[in-house]
Each structure stands twice: as C-alpha cells, then as structure tokens.
C-alpha cells in the first residue's frame, strides 16, 4: 500500500505496530496528507484488549477520516470466518459506543457518517434496507489466495460466498490478494494493485479505481 515497488515479503506484525504514510495533498504542492496506520495481531486476548481501548481503537477525533482493514489468512481457511465475525462484532460495539457518546454531546457526526455510507452504497440498491452500515469504510482483504487455490473446490465456494455475504451485509469491501509467491505476478499482481488503489482512494482521496470491462 505504501510502497508499490517493494517486492520483498512483509514481516508478520508483532502485537501492535505503528507506521505512517504521506502523499502530496491535492491542490497544494507544499502540503502533505499524513495517514497514521496501526496494525494489530497476536493472541486474541491482546486484540480484544486493544479493541476495548477507546484512546487507541477508533478514538472519537478520528472517526470522520478512519478506515478499517480486516486481514484474513486464506492459508488457514478454517479461521477466516471466525476472525471476520469477531472483528465485525468488535467494530460494531466500538462504533455504537462512540456514536452514543457523540449523540449525547449533540453531535450530528454519527448520522452524517451513516448517511454518507448509505449514499455510497446506493439509495436505489435492492439490499439497502438489509445492510448494517458502520459509517466508516471497512475493507476486508483475504490474503494468500495462492495458498487457497489448492483447497477443495466446494469448500472454496462455500467460504468465498460466506465472506461475500458478511461483507455485503455490513457494507464492507472485499478483495482477494496473493501473498506467498514473490514477486507477485499475473492476476495476483492485478488484485494487489486494485487493493492499493482502493486504500489510496479511501485514505488519501485519490481517484477511484476504474476497472475495464
């Protein structure tokens, strides 16, 4: 995401790690937009503790510009749905609590964020009433698809459909990427480029990705 030319395999995140990215701000040659990135991994107890920390996990001042990425490891397919469900639940609990606090202060931000999410989803979409939007963009990236390709065909269909269902009903984006083969080539490289373009659009408000049909 931050370095499109980097070809070496990224190291696994250890517990909680912080980094940042900068891009030239639109309309200002001397200005830089800065994105603060927090990565969480490790034991579920640590992840749960981080998710309960109001000052760390989606603090109130960041809600208007926050983007959440949930990474799934397709080389461990049995863990994908439980991981996704767990983080969707944590995200829902955190945002519900944050929105309640803001509304008690008289803030209109929660309604504005949810309205924006519904508008982006499409007010004319046939599933508009069935989707429970978070109000902040959520991207689910199912990584290591190259390891997943050798799994049982029916199992793959069931898992992919389940992931699509959960993401769709929560208004989240879903994208599959490789991760084992280096350098990433072919279709997996294209998917990785789509992932980078999506994050750049959500984080730095670059032009949205246009997929040729």
């Amino acid at each position: 995401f931050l370095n499109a030319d980097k070809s070496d395999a990224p190291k696994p995140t250890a517990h909680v790690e912080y980094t940042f990215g900068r891009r030239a701000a639109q309309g200002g040659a001397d200005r830089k937009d800065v994105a603060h990135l927090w990565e969480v991994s490790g034991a579920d107890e640590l992840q749960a503790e981080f998710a309960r920390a109001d000052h760390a996990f989606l603090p109130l001042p960041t809600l208007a510009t926050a983007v959440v990425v949930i990474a799934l490891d397709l080389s461990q397919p049995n863990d994908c749905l439980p991981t996704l469900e767990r983080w969707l639940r944590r995200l829902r609990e955190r945002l519900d609590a944050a929105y309640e606090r803001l509304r008690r202060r008289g803030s209109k931000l929660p309604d504005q964020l949810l309205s924006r999410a519904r508008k982006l989803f499409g007010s004319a979409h046939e599933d508009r009433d069935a989707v429970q939007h978070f109000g902040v963009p959520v991207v689910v990236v199912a990584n290591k698809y190259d390891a997943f390709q050798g799994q049982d065909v029916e199992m793959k269909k069931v898992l992919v459909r389940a992931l699509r269902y959960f993401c769709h009903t929560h208004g989240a984006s879903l994208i599959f990427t490789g991760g084992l083969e280096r350098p990433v080539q072919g279709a997996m490289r294209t998917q990785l480029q789509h992932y980078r373009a999506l994050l750049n659009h959500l984080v730095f408000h670059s032009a949205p990705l246009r997929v040729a049909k």
Side-chain angles (χ1 to χ4, degrees), residues 138-155:
V138 178
V139 178
V140 177
V141 53
N143 195 24
K144 299 183 183 178
Y145 188 82
D146 34 8
F148 185 59
Q149 286 179 313
Q151 298 288 339
D152 177 75
V153 173
E154 289 304 316
M155 187 274 286

Side-chain angles (χ1 to χ4, degrees), residues 146-166:
D146 34 8
F148 185 59
Q149 286 179 313
Q151 298 288 339
D152 177 75
V153 173
E154 289 304 316
M155 187 274 286
K156 287 195 296 184
K157 287 182 180 179
V158 170
L159 179 56
V160 169
R161 287 170 181 168
L163 293 177
R164 287 175 174 169
Y165 171 80
F166 274 101

Side-chain angles (χ1 to χ4, degrees), residues 48 76 84 130 157 168 179 189:
Q76 304 292 330
L84 179 58
K157 287 182 180 179
H168 182 68
R189 181 173 179 81

Side-chain angles (χ1 to χ4, degrees), residues 83-113:
T83 299
L84 179 58
E85 289 182 285
R86 189 161 56 245
W87 274 105
L88 290 176
R89 183 182 67 253
R90 288 169 177 164
L91 182 56
R92 181 72 61 191
E93 291 171 352
R94 170 62 190 137
L95 287 173
D96 284 349
Y99 291 163
E100 182 180 356
R101 288 178 60 187
L102 288 169
R103 287 188 175 109
R104 286 202 302 265
R105 298 178 184 178
S107 173
K108 297 181 180 179
L109 180 62
D111 294 330
Q112 291 171 344
L113 293 177

Side-chain angles (χ1 to χ4, degrees), residues 18-62:
Y18 167 80
T19 187
F20 67 93
R22 287 185 293 190
R23 294 286 188 276
Q26 296 182 3
D30 298 329
R31 291 179 53 246
K32 296 283 187 179
D33 287 331
V34 179
H36 303 278
L37 290 84
W38 294 91
E39 296 183 56
V40 186
S41 69
D44 187 60
E45 293 79 5
L46 173 67
Q47 297 180 32
E49 182 179 353
F50 179 85
R52 290 192 296 266
D54 293 353
H55 65 283
F57 184 46
L58 296 174
L60 296 185
T62 70

Side-chain angles (χ1 to χ4, degrees), residues 184-209:
V184 180
Q185 297 178 342
M188 288 297 98
R189 181 173 179 81
T190 300
Q191 285 296 93
L192 189 58
Q193 290 171 340
H194 289 176
Y195 174 55
R196 287 179 175 137
L198 175 61
L199 287 189
N200 273 293
H201 172 61
L202 294 174
V203 174
F204 294 111
H205 307 291
S206 62
L209 176 68

